[in-house]
Amino acid sequence: MVDPALALIWFAIAVGTLLIFFWPGQGLAIRLLRVLRMTERVRIEDALKHAYNEEYANRTASIHSMAGALEVSRAFAVRLVTRLEARELVHSSDEGLQLTAAGRDYALRILRTHRLWERYLADRTNVKPTDWHDEAERREHRLAATEVDALAASMGHPVYDPHGDPIPTDFTVHPLPTERAVGPYEKLSSLSPGESAVVVQIAHACQGPQRRRLLDLGVVPGTVITAELQGALSDPMAYRIRSALIALRQQQADLIYVERDPSKGGN
């Protein structure tokens, strides 16, 4: 007869072992998978992307920042930078690491691929928004340049990723300009209860599921929207859109540009 206490101990050991190997994000199996996919190409491309991201943020990459971003030891980061310098992709100095022209072009190709994959995942799959980045990270190293172009063409050459960041084209990339109301146009959030306005456009920064939701609600150019009820803490606001009452938070209403409609209660 099996001793119940002993059986319970073995069960606990088995469960513990499974958790150690398969714990989401940190299990040994996941870590082993990360190691297996850390090929020379992946290491180089991740390093170049980090250097570009630092440059784009007006910071200077360093051995320390690269080791932290890639989750490797400082000694490994030093060897990696040495390989990048040998391939004339980066230049190191007392100030830190700078991308060469060739290194910057390479980094932009990876950034373009990453953002195209995020756009694809947002528009063509049921992958959760919280998983877009990690899944794009896994896929961005798999495609050749011609395949990346084909991916972009299959989606109609999108300009923005689902987070509103610009997708590089011809290896050039420009910061997304801060959008502001032009002429008489204002943000929907500027309306007070009882005021109405006509939709002019949705901000370009609003992409993916958030943009589709607004379109599904009828937020298209020419639609009249009336602010009706304000929350106890001023957020969210309830808006009347095509006979339906919809609650939008200020950050969502800020993405909708409108022109006041005096005949509907605007000023």
Side-chain angles (χ1 to χ4, degrees):
M1 182 175 179
V2 178
D3 185 344
L6 184 60
L8 184 61
I9 291 173
W10 279 111
F11 177 76
I13 292 174
V15 171
T17 301
L18 289 174
L19 289 176
I20 289 173
F21 273 90
F22 299 106
W23 189 266
Q26 297 297 326
L28 292 180
I30 299 298
R31 294 185 181 185
L32 178 61
L33 184 61
R34 289 174 181 168
V35 171
L36 291 176
R37 78 179 188 88
M38 283 292 284
T39 62
E40 180 76 1
R41 174 182 173 181
V42 172
R43 292 187 182 105
I44 287 175
E45 291 179 350
D46 283 349
L48 291 174
K49 192 168 64 173
H50 167 69
Y52 179 82
N53 287 336
E54 292 295 283
E55 180 183 282
Y56 191 74
N58 294 318
R59 297 189 296 263
T60 301
S62 65
I63 296 292
H64 179 74
S65 69
M66 188 166 291
L70 274 60
E71 299 180 346
V72 297
S73 67
R74 179 181 175 84
F76 187 94
V78 170
R79 294 195 296 271
L80 181 56
V81 169
T82 299
R83 291 199 289 273
L84 292 173
E85 286 188 295
R87 296 179 59 172
E88 298 183 349
L89 297 173
V90 301
H91 171 70
S92 61
S93 64
D94 293 339
E95 288 75 30
L97 305 175
Q98 288 84 36
L99 288 167
T100 64
R104 189 171 295 105
D105 284 346
Y106 197 159
L108 282 170
R109 291 201 301 271
I110 301 305
L111 184 65
R112 177 176 185 239
T113 305
H114 180 93
R115 292 180 178 175
L116 282 170
W117 272 128
E118 288 198 321
R119 179 81 272 160
Y120 176 86
L121 293 168
D123 294 348
R124 307 290 180 85
T125 74
N126 293 321
V127 174
K128 295 183 295 185
T130 53
D131 295 334
W132 290 341
H133 177 77
D134 289 343
E135 183 61 28
E137 285 275 324
R138 287 189 284 271
R139 298 188 183 199
E140 66 188 24
H141 306 288
R142 302 176 184 174
L143 301 184
T146 54
E147 294 173 313
V148 175
D149 291 338
L151 177 63
S154 71
M155 295 185 289
H157 299 285
V159 178
Y160 298 95
D161 74 5
H163 308 292
D165 294 318
I167 297 175
T169 302
D170 300 325
F171 311 136
T172 57
V173 67
H174 304 282
L176 184 64
T178 300
E179 294 191 69
R180 59 183 64 181
V182 180
Y185 304 151
E186 302 176 64
K187 295 177 179 178
L188 180 62
S189 58
S190 67
L191 298 187
S192 298
E195 294 182 329
S196 297
V198 177
V199 175
V200 176
Q201 69 178 50
I202 298 175
H204 293 303
C206 181
Q207 297 291 324
Q210 186 175 28
R211 189 181 192 89
R212 291 203 301 273
R213 177 175 180 268
L214 292 177
L215 293 173
D216 290 343
L217 291 174
V219 182
V220 295
T223 298
V224 175
I225 299 181
T226 302
E228 294 207 357
L229 302 172
Q230 194 165 46
L233 300 178
S234 300
D235 196 19
M237 172 81 80
Y239 297 92
R240 180 72 61 180
I241 305 175
R242 294 188 174 181
S243 76
L245 199 60
I246 306 297
L248 296 177
R249 295 194 175 279
Q250 181 176 340
Q251 64 180 9
Q252 296 172 304
D254 283 344
L255 298 172
I256 303 170
Y257 291 132
V258 299
E259 184 175 17
R260 289 180 183 269
D261 180 6
S263 67
K264 298 292 183 179
N267 292 329

